Amino acid sequence: MTTSHVPAGAHPNDGHAGPRVGLFVTCLVDLFRPTVGFATVALLERAGCRVEVPRHQTCCGQPAYNSGDRKEAAAIARQVIAAFDGYDHVVVPSGSCAGMLRVHYPSLFEDDPDWGPRAQDLAGRTHELTSFLVDVTGVQAVNDQRHDATVTYHDACSGLRELRVKAQPRQLLASVAGLTLLELPDTETCCGFGGTFCVKYPEISDRMVTEKAEMVASTGADTLLAGDLGCLMNLSGKLHRLGKAVSARHVAEVLAGMTDVPPIGAADGGDRR
Amino acid sequence: MKATSHAFVDNAHAALGDGQLRRALGNIETGFQRKRAAAKLGLPEFEALRDQAKAIKDHTLAHLDLYLERFETQVHAAGGQVHWARTTDEARQSVLDICRQAGARSVLKGKSMVSEEMGLNDFLQDNGVRPIETDLGEYIIQLRREPPSHIIAPALHLNKEQIADSFRDAHPQFPAERPLSEPRQLVDEARSVLRDAFLKAEVGITGANFLVAETGSTIIVTNEGNGDLTQTLSRVHIVVASIEKVVPTLEDATTLLRLLSRSATGQEFSAYTTLSTGPRRPDDPDGPEAFHVVILDNGRSALLGTPAQDTLRCIRCGACMNHCPIFAAVGGHPYGWAVPGPIGAALNPGLIGIEEAHHLPHASTFCGRCESVCPMKIPLPKIMRHWREKAFEKDMMGTVPRLALWAWAWAAKRPRLYRWTTGPMMAVLGRLGRRKGRFRSVPLAGGWTRHRDFPAPQGQTFQQAWAAHQRGARRKGQ
């Protein structure tokens, strides 16, 4: 595909030729940071996709699934599977939630003759955002984007290990003018978020996020990027508490050029890096 | 051993406040992670070996009765004896009986995690037989009356100053002012004490990394040579092992051995890999007069056919704990039983009960690094989730979290209602947080805000903003 040469902001498939993509927005993006949702839509449209947002979505069900409540997890999963029926692709601005749909829904309905095949079908169509752009649509670069910042990138665990998301965000970031990426040491270590883990075992989570936040600050980067809002809220909360001058943003915001809103956890009119 | 896993939270709290422990755990990255990574890099077929190793163990577990009986037959053929033990009580009684028959007042011990599981040392001591640990790490923690904190590095939690202090207390026979600041000096002192014990040995107890059904051999992997001395200098050699240690053939054992040391210490092979097949034969220059293998079940056979069966593939390399961020934060002791770390979180609930061990599978972020380094490809997070489901079924969650989960799920299944309620909630939170962009405290979210700020939402939900955006687009289109 040649979509990588489409200029930013253009909607080449207004003629409805491109793939029909359902956006699974994730509960954290929906509630806390709609900018990430709009950035995702913009990136998908620039890649030639027709984007729709099914109304009948809330959460992927991980809080129930990881708490051992398989029944509620399955009920929520069925809702997601039904809501995203018929889309060519389902794109998620989170490795964790995408991993839930891709890896865990099929295992949730392993022995279910009705929902098992539907879960498999959804799994095959579901992608984490940066992985979708690079691996599926063949986008090599985001064009005409400039972000003057020194950034570091945190690989969220589910995306990294369940979906092999590592090179894709870096490849896209490399095409953003003015941006320098400084890699984190020990980039494969968890930030300590872990969904409900961070409130069930707050002291252990605190040790983990403290070490990660100090590592982030030690890179000298002024901005922390990641593809998962959970890790970003955890890390930005810790960076602020430690008084470190590092902003946090979802990678989609930078790739889509939507950095006119304050960074995560920062004041309106404050640091807009 | 008596489990203290139920007190995980308190034990973890104490561990997190221990500055010395934090420094000791800081060595895991250089001591284990980098060495394993280098060893893996040096073996192009490492990934293929993992698949092969998994297949060997899966096959063995599917025919476990067959291979265990074949092992027993071959041990008998080599002149040894096999003692089956359903429980740890039966296992340690078997060991004690053998010690008494041999008239032993003390026994030498090589490193064995199954003997920790059995609480063997305390049991023998209480029954008039003194156990002497000969692995340096085990010797140190025996002096300090502590359990091991790691399956291959039992004294991982200690620094050399603490060890020197323990040696000064335990070895009054040496000059009080002797230098003990260097590891070499500590090793030499332990060696000189143990040398006497080795020469007087009557019974030697070792564990086993593998039991080979084809030949009736047991295999141990060590770096100090203490295991060899323990089993060759003693008149009676007792091997204690659990049922899942059996492998069909020597060829299979070598496949697993190629993964074991690389995954554990990053060595291509450990310094010593020792095979024992029966007692000394007439023309052998050395070896024990009697050879016993005590094989322990202790709940493992009940895991066959369950989602936790895969834990029985474990070859006890320790890679999962060496790469676990929870283990790196709290060390091994808070897990409260013989096997700590991710494999403990996946295995222990099956052996000591979910009631005792329920914290272990919950104290994980499911980051998945353990599974990614496990040479046996054990799906550790998946098995931990299985135990979480068991705990949930038994209503062990606590009333408040359970209600919160129920309320959240109830709303999440009703998207329209969910939008109606979350919209105004986020609007209020967004307005309250606008000035600073974050909160220092939030009611009911103390677990979060005690340690970090809580980022304020932008105010409008995406669903609201998207609906408005769509309306605008439609108007423009008209």
Side-chain angles (χ1 to χ4, degrees), chain B residues 55-100:
Chain B
I56 289 170
K57 276 283 197 171
D58 281 343
H59 167 83
T60 312
L61 292 171
H63 306 281
L64 192 57
D65 49 346
L66 175 90
Y67 288 114
L68 283 170
E69 283 176 4
R70 188 171 296 171
F71 174 76
E72 179 183 37
T73 306
Q74 293 305 94
V75 170
H76 286 162
Q81 289 182 58
V82 171
H83 310 262
W84 300 102
R86 270 167 303 195
T87 62
T88 54
D89 279 346
E90 287 180 12
R92 52 198 203 176
Q93 192 60 49
S94 287
V95 173
L96 180 65
D97 291 346
I98 299 165
C99 291
R100 285 192 170 147

Side-chain angles (χ1 to χ4, degrees), chain B residues 100-171:
Chain B
R100 285 192 170 147
Q101 275 163 27
R105 305 258 297 279
S106 68
V107 296
L108 292 179
K109 275 193 68 209
K111 192 169 150 23
S112 156
M113 291 316 294
V114 165
S115 78
E116 298 289 344
E117 177 177 340
M118 289 157 56
L120 185 60
N121 284 3
D122 286 346
F123 179 78
L124 290 177
Q125 188 82 51
D126 292 347
N127 286 281
V129 179
R130 188 165 77 95
I132 303 164
E133 293 285 357
T134 63
D135 171 270
L136 180 60
E138 291 284 349
Y139 178 73
I140 292 164
I141 60 166
Q142 188 184 26
L143 292 183
R144 296 173 61 89
R145 306 192 143 277
E146 287 174 352
S149 68
H150 188 289
I151 59 174
I152 65 163
L156 179 78
H157 57 289
L158 299 172
N159 63 25
K160 60 185 198 296
E161 287 73 31
Q162 290 170 299
I163 297 166
D165 289 345
S166 300
F167 277 21
R168 286 187 201 284
D169 289 345
H171 305 151

Side-chain angles (χ1 to χ4, degrees), chain B residues 112 186 388 425:
Chain B
S112 156
L186 295 167
R388 291 187 189 186
M425 271 164 64

Side-chain angles (χ1 to χ4, degrees), chain B residues 18-52:
Chain B
D18 182 342
Q20 188 288 121
L21 176 66
R22 188 175 185 179
R23 281 190 294 281
L25 293 170
N27 297 327
I28 290 177
E29 197 199 336
T30 45
F32 289 117
Q33 292 182 6
R34 289 192 199 163
K35 287 178 181 169
R36 175 198 169 270
K40 177 178 184 279
L41 215 59
L43 189 72
E45 65 268 40
F46 191 88
E47 283 306 311
L49 267 178
R50 285 175 79 196
D51 289 327
Q52 235 181 309

